[in-house]
Amino acid sequence: MDIVILAVVIAVVVLGALGGLIVGSRRKKQLPPPPPAAPDITAPPAEPHVGDEAETPREEPRRTIEEVDLPDGSAPVVVEEPPAPEIEIPEPTAGRLVRLRSRLSRSQNALGKGLLTLLSREHLDEDTWEEIEDTLITADVGVQPTQELVERLRERVRVLGTRTPEDLRTLLREELITLVGRDMDRAVKTEPEDRKPGIVMVVGVNGTGKTTTTGKLARVLVADGQSVVLGAADTFRAAAADQLQTWGERVGAYTVRGPEGGDPASVAFDAVKEGKEMGANVVLIDTAGRLHTKTGLMDELGKVKRVVEKQAPVDEVLLVLDATTGQNGLVQARVFSEVVKITGIVLTKLDGTAKGGIVVAVQRELGVPVKLIGLGEGADDLAPFEPEAFVDALIGE
């Protein structure tokens, strides 16, 4: 009996131990986390509506319509206009070339001083005379004028006998003035007797300073007391009309312009019409820089002249040439003279070259005078051409 009781006790103890192990292992296993609580959903702030302020409006005193002072209409409303551009007073043209002589002489000494040096040699043999010819040809005087000048110099030196520096200078001055042309009419025709305005066309290839020359010519005419209208008929080059208008505004000249790429003849026609209505003395027409190798463009230049002449004759056609191009400028001159009748030459950039002989060559080529020369970048560096002052600048004092 005792054995049975002991066996029961042992069985109970074993069962209890096993139950404890099972319960302990279950406690060690991690239970899955409880499901998250539902988030609190807050309504978004309301979108601002038209008229809503960005911040909470503050209480401010308000006035009724009766308390607001209204204008009674007695005081005029003043609108400030932009200030008008300041009108410049150009430098007088009389004697302008004389005042610019030092600038011209600095770049032309190779011609004048070179000739004086050669003529001052004790023996003027054939080699010396060939050097004199080379000096003149290098200065773009041209072959035919050079031969004529050398022949006259040889004859006068032979007759003169003694050759003091003063005698040589006087001799060379006289012969160069004769070569340049003392008796040619160099006045720019801007005042026809029977009508107003005078009409001047300015032509030339790109790069010669044509538009700038037109603006400077306006200053020359204003300085001489004439009123000017500018026609910006160069409608193909970007900003050409703006450039010309700027020149005009500086001296009070009115500029007629058209749309970029528009018809140049139409702009030129309108400029002459405006000049008549305004009672201007002169209309200056700046044309496009025609490439002399483009036949169609040259024909269009002729069209501009024909359209203008439906209102009045063109009094002056000035061809602008770059003096630094030398003999190449003569090719341009020939072609332009075939399209429009050239009446005068404007030589620019004479301050930067020793090739002053182009004055002689271009006059011989076209049979028309050089009327104006450009001696620098300044606004008043365009001067009427004076043969004596020009030659004096070449050979110095």
Side-chain angles (χ1 to χ4, degrees):
M1 187 68 177
D2 293 334
I3 296 172
V4 174
I5 295 172
L6 181 59
V8 171
V9 171
I10 292 172
V12 170
V13 171
V14 172
L15 291 173
L18 290 174
L21 288 175
I22 294 173
V23 172
S25 63
R26 286 181 177 176
R27 287 178 178 174
K28 289 180 180 179
K29 289 183 179 179
Q30 294 182 356
L31 298 176
D40 295 334
I41 298 177
T42 305
E47 293 287 338
H49 299 286
V50 176
D52 288 350
E53 297 290 343
E55 59 183 20
T56 304
R58 292 171 294 179
E59 290 294 332
E60 293 183 357
R62 298 176 179 268
R63 294 186 294 172
T64 64
I65 187 70
E66 291 79 7
E67 296 174 325
V68 177
D69 294 330
L70 298 177
D72 56 4
S74 59
V77 178
V78 178
V79 179
E80 293 187 4
E81 301 207 358
E86 183 178 352
I87 303 299
E88 299 178 9
I89 301 177
E91 180 183 343
T93 58
R96 186 181 285 188
L97 184 57
V98 175
R99 295 192 294 275
L100 298 172
R101 181 188 301 177
S102 60
R103 181 177 300 169
L104 179 62
S105 62
R106 282 197 299 270
S107 60
Q108 302 297 327
N109 285 342
L111 174 59
K113 293 298 177 64
L115 290 176
L116 283 175
T117 300
L118 291 171
L119 289 171
S120 299
R121 289 181 179 178
E122 184 175 355
H123 299 289
L124 295 177
D125 53 16
E126 287 300 320
D127 290 340
T128 301
W129 286 111
E130 286 185 6
E131 288 186 56
I132 292 174
E133 285 189 3
D134 291 342
T135 300
L136 289 166
I137 291 174
T138 302
D140 283 332
V141 172
V143 176
Q144 185 64 32
T146 293
Q147 292 175 346
E148 295 175 8
L149 177 60
V150 169
E151 188 61 32
R152 290 200 303 267
L153 285 173
R154 294 184 72 157
E155 179 66 24
R156 294 192 63 177
V157 167
R158 186 165 47 248
V159 172
L160 184 64
T162 59
R163 302 190 308 277
T164 65
E166 186 59 33
D167 290 338
L168 288 174
R169 186 186 182 282
T170 300
L171 170 64
L172 184 58
R173 182 180 186 273
E174 291 175 356
E175 291 300 330
L176 285 176
I177 290 176
T178 300
L179 192 65
V180 169
R182 190 197 303 265
D183 301 327
M184 303 183 80
D185 183 7
R186 302 183 187 276
V188 179
K189 302 296 188 299
T190 58
E191 299 180 87
E193 297 179 357
D194 56 340
R195 59 181 168 79
K196 287 174 61 176
I199 302 173
V200 179
M201 283 182 61
V202 183
V203 302
V205 301
N206 288 320
T208 58
K210 180 173 48 55
T211 299
T212 298
T213 297
T214 305
K216 290 183 179 181
L217 179 56
R219 295 180 66 89
V220 169
L221 296 173
V222 170
D224 290 340
Q226 301 191 56
S227 56
V228 178
V229 169
L230 298 173
D234 185 354
T235 60
F236 299 113
R237 184 170 67 87
D242 293 336
Q243 181 184 357
L244 187 65
Q245 185 170 351
T246 299
W247 277 102
E249 289 175 347
R250 292 169 67 178
V251 292
Y254 181 71
T255 302
V256 176
R257 55 187 297 176
E260 186 173 341
D263 182 12
S266 175
V267 176
F269 184 89
D270 291 342
V272 175
K273 180 180 178 182
E274 189 71 25
K276 287 182 175 180
E277 294 175 354
M278 295 178 62
N281 298 111
V282 187
V283 174
L284 295 179
I285 301 173
D286 176 36
T287 60
R290 311 296 176 191
L291 295 174
H292 61 279
T293 56
K294 302 291 185 180
T295 304
L297 293 177
M298 295 299 291
D299 290 343
E300 187 177 333
L301 181 60
K303 172 190 170 185
V304 171
K305 186 171 185 287
R306 291 192 301 272
V307 168
V308 168
E309 289 183 330
K310 291 181 179 179
Q311 297 194 80
V314 174
D315 301 287
E316 193 84 70
V317 180
L318 298 177
L319 174 63
V320 180
L321 292 177
D322 183 342
T324 62
T325 62
Q327 295 293 314
N328 290 333
L330 300 184
V331 178
Q332 302 170 10
R334 280 194 293 268
V335 177
F336 275 95
S337 65
E338 294 171 1
V339 178
V340 289
K341 184 180 178 181
I342 304 298
T343 59
I345 305 295
V346 182
L347 278 176
T348 63
K349 306 179 186 179
L350 263 175
D351 60 323
T353 175
K355 298 178 180 292
I358 191 64
V359 172
V360 176
V362 73
Q363 289 183 156
R364 285 290 187 93
E365 179 67 30
L366 296 183
V368 297
V370 172
K371 294 191 173 185
L372 298 160
I373 58 175
L375 299 172
E377 299 298 328
D380 292 320
D381 288 345
L382 185 71
F385 183 76
E386 303 167 20
E388 290 84 358
F390 179 74
V391 170
D392 288 340
L394 291 183
I395 62 178
E397 298 296 337

